[in-house]
């Protein structure tokens, strides 16, 4: 969707709308409103999950409660998401929160085609066709997918600041099926009245040719700066679409070549059977007209006749461009056709009937006639009859020549090879050119080359899948038949996304006409978090367009919840940490009177979360520190022995021996001199 930074008012951006500032579905931070329609409003928003700016289309409050409107809104997401085309606004996401139904889509900073019309129209035909080409390319992609836009208008054509042209709001698009049609009496008429095809007004039924009609009206508006039909009310405008033709643009903007008028007339024919079958066909005709303009051709009668079929004007006897057959009519000087009364452009003039001069009226009786009156009437009658017969024959021959004889039927070339089709057309006196909406690099005769045509699930590669005109259609002798070759089934390889960011991977996938599925997180010890590990299906897998591709994204190393091993066996602690990918540093050992040898005195960190490759430091106990009990204690005085032992850190306990005499000398000690005991141990002295 479009964001027009210059048009947005300060009040709007300040958040007068209560939706502004809301965090929708826990993902989209809603910003200022940038557009409002009949069903929904569009806001600029930030996707906080992917950190990108998007456009979010939110259904108006209360409409989500109407199941019909809600279902149509959801169909919009599914229909638009099927389209992956550089000139179609991309749809990213669709969801619902507390009754609020929304779409998240591509944001296009810039302006609309309506702004271009205001500033530049009327514009040159070349400029107008250049603007229409990407629009028709987008519609052609939709028509190939079986979708109809139904609301083609300048407001739905977005032009980015960098010049990219994108068609927006496929919200009214519908899959072509009987159960989705609406009639004017029993259903809903969808679309903008200035661009409605007559059949939409009459019975609400539409196919791809309704979009062709709307595109033709937009082209007229680019060329002239005004809409073809105006009225005091929408009903009056709709009535004119049904009962009046779009006038030739040259009537408003003189100097426009006749073949450009013919292009507009063909696209906006009220009888939809006279229009191009879809946007791809109209795009091909636009290319032909664009080439003529580029070559500086001001008048090309053959191209004009090709684009605008023939019709006989009832009053002037002139041929006018309307249809492939010559019709007769008598409606007050205008031209009749199967679709009503149509004005037309003169192509060739038919011979008119010679005027008869009335006989003079005598003022008084004259002499009797030289011959009997009966004989005079017999002479004039046959002559008059011969003149009338000659006139009728001349008109018939002219009509036969201009309406039939110089035309031939297009031969059927479907399913033929290119060479066979060219030979068959050449034998019929026709030229062949290759066309088609798609292109593909193919290996032909051992050489890789770009080939234009269209994808087909049923027609083999290189054979004719379509032709314009259709087989059996009338075409001028020596005319050109556009042959569309089959490119085979439309398939695309899954791109390699390993090592990309999530956004880059999504762009790579959608750039191959595939759909992005979902991101799946996986732990990785070697790949940084946020980097794509791969895809499912794998890179190189050949898929149909629109197939979903998932990606795997690194979540970084898997976290390890640290366990406290203080006071427990250090060997077991080391094995536990190493099993979880952690590095153990137990280079520090200390004596500890309270922790057994080989057990953990302390651990860093003692708790929390680490990742594989991180280090845990263990301080391991060597047990209590041992010292030697000194000698020279036996037979020494008790007081002197106590002082010596306490000076070495021992505690001293004095007791009387079994042989106590009261002399005050050490008779015996425990432990004995030379024994290794923990520092600070108690030594018992037995005195005599």
């Amino acid at each position: 969707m479009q964001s027009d930074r210059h048009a947005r008012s300060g009040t709007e951006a300040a958040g007068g709308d209560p939706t502004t500032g809301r965090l929708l579905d826990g993902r989209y931070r809603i910003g200022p409103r940038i557009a409002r329609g009949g069903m929904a409003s569009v806001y600029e928003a930030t996707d906080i999950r992917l950190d990108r700016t998007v456009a979010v289309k939110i259904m108006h409050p209360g409409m989500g409660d109407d199941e019909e409107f809600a279902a149509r809104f959801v169909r919009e997401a599914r229909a638009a998401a099927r389209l992956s085309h550089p000139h179609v606004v991309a749809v990213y996401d669709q969801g619902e929160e507390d009754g609020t139904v929304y779409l998240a889509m591509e944001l296009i900073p810039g302006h609309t085609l309506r702004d271009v019309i205001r500033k530049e129209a009327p514009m040159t035909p070349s400029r107008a066709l250049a603007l229409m080409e990407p629009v028709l390319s987008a519609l052609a992609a939709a028509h190939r997918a079986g979708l109809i836009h139904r609301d083609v208008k300048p407001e739905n054509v977005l032009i980015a600041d960098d010049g990219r042209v994108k068609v927006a709001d496929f919200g009214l698009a519908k899959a072509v099926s009987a159960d989705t049609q609406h009639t004017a009496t029993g259903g809903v008429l969808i679309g903008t009245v200035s661009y409605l095809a007559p059949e939409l007004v009459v019975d609400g039924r539409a196919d791809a040719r309704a979009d062709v009609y709307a595109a033709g009206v937009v082209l007229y508006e680019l060329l002239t700066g005004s809409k073809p039909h105006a009225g005091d009310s929408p009903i009056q405008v709709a009535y004119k679409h049904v009962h009046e033709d779009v006038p030739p643009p040259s009537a408003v903007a003189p100097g426009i070549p006749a073949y450009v008028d013919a292009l507009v007339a063909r696209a906006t024919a009220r009888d939809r059977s006279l229009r191009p079958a879809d946007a791809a066909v109209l795009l091909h005709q636009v290319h032909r007209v664009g080439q003529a303009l580029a070559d500086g051709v001001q008048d090309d009668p053959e191209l004009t006749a090709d684009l605008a079929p023939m019709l006989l004007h009832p009053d002037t006897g002139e041929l006018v461009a309307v249809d492939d057959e010559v019709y007769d009519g008598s409606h007050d000087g205008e031209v009749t056709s199967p679709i009503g009364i149509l004005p037309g452009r003169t192509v060739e003039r038919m011979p008119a009937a010679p005027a008869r001069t009335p006989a003079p009226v005598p003022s008084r009786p004259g002499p009797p006639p030289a011959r009997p009156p009966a004989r005079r009437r017999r002479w004039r009658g046959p002559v008059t009859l011969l003149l009338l017969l000659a006139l009728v024959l001349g008109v018939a021959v002219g009509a036969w020549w201009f309406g039939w004889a110089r035309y031939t039927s297009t031969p059927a070339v479907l399913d033929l090879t290119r060479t066979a089709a060219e030979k068959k057309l050449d034998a019929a006196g026709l030229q062949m050119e290759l066309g088609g909406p798609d292109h593909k690099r193919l290996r032909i005769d051992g050489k890789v080359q770009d080939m234009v045509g269209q994808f087909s699930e049923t027609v083999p590669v290189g054979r004719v899948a379509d032709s314009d005109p259709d087989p059996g259609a009338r075409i001028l002798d020596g005319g050109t038949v556009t042959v569309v070759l089959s490119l085979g089934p439309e398939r695309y390889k899954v791109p390699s996304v390993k090592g990309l960011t999530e956004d880059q991977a999504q762009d790579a996938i959608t750039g191959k006409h595939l759909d992005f599925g979902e991101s799946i997180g996986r732990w990785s010890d070697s790949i940084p978090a946020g980097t794509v590990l791969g895809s499912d299906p794998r890179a190189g897998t050949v898929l149909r367009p629109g197939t979903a591709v998932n990606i795997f994204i690194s979540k970084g190393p898997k976290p390890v919840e640290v366990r406290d091993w203080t006071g427990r066996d250090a060997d077991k602690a080391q094995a536990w940490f190493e099993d979880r990918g952690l590095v153990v540093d137990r280079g520090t050992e200390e004596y500890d009177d309270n922790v057994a040898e080989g057990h953990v005195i302390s651990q860093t960190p003692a708790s929390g979360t680490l990742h594989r490759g991180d280090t845990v430091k263990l301080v391991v106990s060597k047990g209590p520190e041992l010292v030697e009990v000194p000698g020279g204690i036996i037979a020494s005085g008790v007081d002197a022995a106590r002082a010596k032992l306490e000076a070495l850190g021992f505690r001293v306990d004095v007791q009387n021996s079994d042989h106590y005499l009261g002399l005050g000398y050490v008779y015996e000690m425990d432990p004995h001199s030379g024994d290794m005991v923990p520092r600070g141990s108690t030594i018992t002295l037995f005195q005599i």
Side-chain angles (χ1 to χ4, degrees), residues 174-215:
K174 293 189 171 186
V176 181
S177 59
D179 59 349
T180 60
Q181 302 294 342
H182 288 68
T183 65
T185 57
V188 179
L189 184 64
I190 301 175
T192 305
V193 67
S194 294
Y195 307 91
L196 281 183
E199 62 268 23
L200 269 171
V201 177
V202 173
D203 59 13
R205 295 182 178 272
D207 57 14
R209 290 169 289 190
D211 287 348
V212 169
Y213 183 91

Side-chain angles (χ1 to χ4, degrees), residues 49-50 497 499-506 516 518-524 527-535 550-556:
R49 185 179 302 171
L50 298 180
V497 294
L500 303 181
T501 65
E502 184 175 21
D503 277 353
Q504 289 171 339
Q506 288 188 18
F516 172 72
E518 61 178 331
S519 299
I520 302 171
R522 288 187 173 177
W523 304 113
S524 174
I527 306 300
T531 303
V532 177
L533 302 172
S535 63
N550 301 325
I551 61 175
F552 302 111
I553 296 184
S554 170
K555 298 193 293 183

